[in-house]
C-alpha cells in the first residue's frame, strides 16, 4: 500500500482539496442564510431544520477532513521512516517535523520532492 501511486497521491492531495471544499461549503451556507434573510425577518426566526440541516453537513465534512488528514499523517510518517534515502542523514527528522507542524502542505511537498521526482529519476 505504501508504494501504490493512487494512495500516495490521494493522501497528498485529498486533505488540501477537502479543506478547500469545506471553505466553499461554509461560504455557500452563509450565502444561503443571507439570500433568505427576508424570509427570516418575516417569520421572526429561521427554521431550525434549515440551519441544523446545513450545519450538520458542514460538521460531517469537517470530521471527514480530520480523519483523512490523520490518515495522511500516519501514511506519510510510515512512508518516510521506510524511505531508504532518508536514513543516512537527519532529513527523516526534518520531514516528520514538517508533517506534524505543517500537516497538509507538508505531505504534498514530501510527495512532490521525495516520491514523484525520485520516480521520474528511476525511470529515466
Amino acid at each position: 500500500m505504501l508504494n501504490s501511486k493512487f494512495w500516495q497521491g490521494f493522501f497528498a492531495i485529498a486533505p488540501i482539496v477537502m479543506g478547500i471544499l469545506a471553505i466553499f461549503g461554509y461560504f455557500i451556507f452563509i450565502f444561503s442564510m443571507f439570500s433568505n434573510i427576508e424570509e427570516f425577518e418575516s417569520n421572526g426566526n429561521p427554521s431550525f431544520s434549515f440551519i441544523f440541516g446545513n450545519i450538520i453537513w458542514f460538521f460531517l465534512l469537517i470530521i471527514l477532513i480530520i480523519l483523512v488528514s490523520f490518515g495522511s499523517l500516519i501514511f506519510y510518517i510510515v512512508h518516510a521512516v521506510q524511505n531508504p534515502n532518508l536514513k543516512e542523514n537527519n532529513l527523516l527528522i526534518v520531514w516528520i517535523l514538517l508533517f506534524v507542524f505543517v500537516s497538509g502542505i507538508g505531505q504534498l511537498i514530501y510527495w512532490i520532492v521525495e516520491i514523484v521526482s525520485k520516480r521520474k529519476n528511476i525511470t529515466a
Side-chain angles (χ1 to χ4, degrees), residues 24-56 58:
F24 281 134
Y26 174 75
F27 285 120
I28 289 171
F29 171 71
I30 295 298
F31 180 72
S32 68
M33 291 289 289
F34 285 129
S35 65
N36 293 328
I37 198 133
E38 293 168 354
E39 178 185 328
F40 298 150
E41 288 177 352
S42 65
N43 292 340
N45 287 332
S47 67
F48 177 76
S49 62
F50 175 76
I51 293 177
F52 187 70
N54 289 330
I55 288 178
I56 194 72
F58 182 69

Side-chain angles (χ1 to χ4, degrees), residues 55-109:
I55 288 178
I56 194 72
W57 289 112
F58 182 69
F59 281 122
L60 289 175
L61 182 62
I62 295 298
I63 290 171
L64 183 63
I65 291 170
I66 290 169
L67 291 175
V68 169
S69 296
F70 189 66
S72 175
L73 178 70
I74 292 171
F75 180 85
Y76 275 105
I77 286 176
V78 170
H79 192 280
V81 167
Q82 293 183 358
N83 189 347
N85 298 331
L86 302 179
K87 296 200 186 275
E88 300 166 359
N89 48 24
N90 292 335
L91 278 178
L92 177 64
I93 296 169
V94 172
W95 279 116
I96 291 175
L97 289 174
L98 189 69
F99 294 156
V100 171
F101 291 117
V102 191
S103 184
I105 297 172
Q107 282 92 329
L108 182 65
I109 293 170

